[in-house]
Amino acid sequence: MNASGTHSSHWLPSIIIALIGLASSLGSSYIQTQRVATETAKKVVDNNLIPIGAVIGSMLPPAEFYRQAGLDSTYVPEKYTWVLADGRDVTRSVYEKISSGKRTVPDLRGLFLRGIDEGAKNDPDGERLAGSVQPDSFAAHNHGAVLPRIAERIEAAAYGGIAARAVAGSENGSTAVSVENKGGLETRPRNAAVYWYIRIN
């Protein structure tokens, strides 16, 4: 009710129409944004902006990843753009042609990726081939141990049947020490699981 005591309900339809228009505009903007994103992603692939041999991580399992990439369920090396990096044969693919005849992709399942050293001297194994697997290793180290002085009580029969007692202490020498095993099945940092895919065409 306004100051003159009359109802202002005649404004309500205009407000509703304005809200509907705003919602429609927002919905159209969202749809437009999604369309642009999809088209951009397609251009990235179609224009080869992701080079052959590139490796990407994905949360999608192979069947769904291939479906999203528009690939058939039947694997054909010369037609598939992306494949799971599982050591499979990729004969007749562009990847084979430009990678000095490599007929298989690296098997990256369950592995971390590490950059090739390229002279940085961060990898103790030096320069390695792309896709080569570096075995498990643990940096050399030692564990200090403090042991008490070892004393041994010796009793021996002396001449005349009189027992003689002596305490022998070892200041030097060595004593075998075993260290109890602790830990899991491997040495690893915190990590999150992904699928590794590699582009072959």
Side-chain angles (χ1 to χ4, degrees):
M1 182 177 292
N2 56 25
S4 61
T6 60
H7 290 281
S8 57
S9 58
H10 61 280
W11 291 103
L12 188 58
S14 299
I15 295 174
I16 293 176
I17 292 173
L19 291 175
I20 292 174
L22 177 60
S24 177
S25 176
L26 291 175
S28 297
S29 297
Y30 174 78
I31 294 173
Q32 177 69 7
T33 300
Q34 292 295 96
R35 184 178 64 80
V36 171
T38 302
E39 291 179 353
T40 300
K42 189 174 186 302
K43 288 179 180 178
V44 168
V45 175
D46 292 344
N47 295 331
N48 296 322
L49 297 183
I50 300 179
I52 306 298
V55 174
I56 64 171
S58 174
M59 305 304 290
L60 299 179
E64 181 60 24
F65 183 90
Y66 298 150
R67 191 179 74 83
Q68 293 294 332
L71 302 173
D72 295 331
S73 57
T74 302
Y75 171 60
V76 181
E78 60 267 37
K79 294 182 179 180
Y80 259 46
T81 49
W82 294 90
V83 296
L84 183 69
D86 57 0
R88 73 177 63 200
D89 187 285
V90 292
T91 303
R92 302 185 306 279
S93 68
V94 176
Y95 176 81
E96 179 197 11
K97 296 176 183 177
I98 67 175
S99 61
S100 302
K102 291 181 180 178
R103 296 185 176 182
T104 59
V105 293
D107 191 347
L108 304 180
R109 292 173 296 179
L111 298 179
F112 297 99
L113 301 188
R114 181 176 189 171
I116 292 177
D117 197 67
E118 281 293 302
K121 301 187 183 304
N122 290 322
D123 188 337
D125 289 352
E127 305 303 325
R128 296 162 48 209
L129 294 176
S132 61
V133 176
Q134 195 173 40
D136 294 337
S137 181
F138 202 70
H141 64 287
N142 59 58
H143 296 273
V146 178
L147 301 177
R149 177 180 175 181
I150 299 174
E152 183 181 1
R153 189 178 183 85
I154 301 174
E155 294 188 7
Y159 292 105
I162 301 175
R165 294 182 176 181
V167 175
S170 176
E171 293 286 355
N172 300 310
S174 62
T175 301
V177 176
S178 62
V179 180
E180 183 180 0
N181 291 330
K182 291 288 186 181
L185 299 177
E186 63 179 357
T187 301
R188 61 173 179 256
R190 292 184 64 191
N191 64 87
V194 298
Y195 294 94
W196 293 120
Y197 295 95
I198 183 170
R199 184 167 184 178
I200 62 171
N201 285 303

